[in-house]
Amino acid sequence: MLRHAHAERRPARVVVIGARGFVGDAVCRRLGAAGIVHLGLGRRELDLQAADAAAQLVAQLRPRDGLVVAAARAPCKSTAMLADNMIMLEAIVDALGRVPVAHVVHVSSDAVYADQPVPLTENSPTAPGTLHGAMHLARDIAVSSELKLPLAIVRPSLI
């Protein structure tokens, strides 16, 4: 009975947004090696800056999917890139308001933290000193406040 209950909570498949990038590609390869059904969406399959990006994503999502968001214009070096990244995230949030998936993993960055000579923890204060860090922090805050879904934010470093 427990095995069956656990299987019910598993996503039907995992959709990876940003699948042609360094992180997204690695996630897709790992999912494939583990035999997990997944759909990789790169810029060719999903243009997150298009006017109809949310509708494009809605057409790809199913309610029992897991979603990995690994798409960003990075490193963010200008206010124009910052705006582009928020437009991309807006399309994702809009789509998830229409198709609530099983859970979301949002790939962020340790650039949201201030440079300090101490180890970082989840309780370290966020204080980005770059546009890149500010972009990731803004996206983290947006997904945390706007999504009403199970959410994990991961912040890898030195990618």
Side-chain angles (χ1 to χ4, degrees), residues 113-121 124-125:
Y113 301 111
D115 287 332
Q116 297 178 9
V118 297
L120 295 172
T121 70
S124 296

Side-chain angles (χ1 to χ4, degrees), residues 50-131:
D52 67 341
Q56 289 180 41
L57 183 53
V58 165
Q60 299 288 344
L61 293 175
R62 301 175 192 155
R64 289 197 54 231
D65 285 342
L67 180 66
V68 176
V69 179
R73 288 196 60 210
C76 182
K77 295 182 180 182
S78 68
T79 53
M81 287 180 78
L82 175 65
D84 287 346
N85 275 292
M86 295 311 291
I87 288 167
M88 293 165 63
L89 187 70
E90 180 183 25
I92 294 166
V93 168
D94 184 4
L96 292 174
R98 297 188 227 173
V99 182
V101 297
H103 67 263
V104 177
V105 176
H106 176 73
V107 180
S108 180
S109 169
D110 70 338
V112 303
Y113 301 111
D115 287 332
Q116 297 178 9
V118 297
L120 295 172
T121 70
E122 289 185 13
N123 296 319
S124 296
T126 54
T130 64
L131 276 174

Side-chain angles (χ1 to χ4, degrees), residues 3-92:
R3 183 173 292 166
H4 178 69
H6 179 68
E8 287 299 313
R9 288 184 297 199
R10 243 183 236 165
R13 67 178 177 162
V14 177
V15 176
V16 180
I17 300 174
R20 305 298 172 256
F22 184 76
V23 174
D25 179 61
V27 170
C28 286
R29 283 187 280 115
R30 190 70 183 240
L31 291 168
I36 297 171
V37 176
H38 64 282
L39 171 64
L41 300 174
R43 192 174 298 133
R44 284 175 290 185
E45 297 85 14
L46 174 64
D47 179 359
L48 289 172
Q49 292 183 299
D52 67 341
Q56 289 180 41
L57 183 53
V58 165
Q60 299 288 344
L61 293 175
R62 301 175 192 155
R64 289 197 54 231
D65 285 342
L67 180 66
V68 176
V69 179
R73 288 196 60 210
C76 182
K77 295 182 180 182
S78 68
T79 53
M81 287 180 78
L82 175 65
D84 287 346
N85 275 292
M86 295 311 291
I87 288 167
M88 293 165 63
L89 187 70
E90 180 183 25
I92 294 166

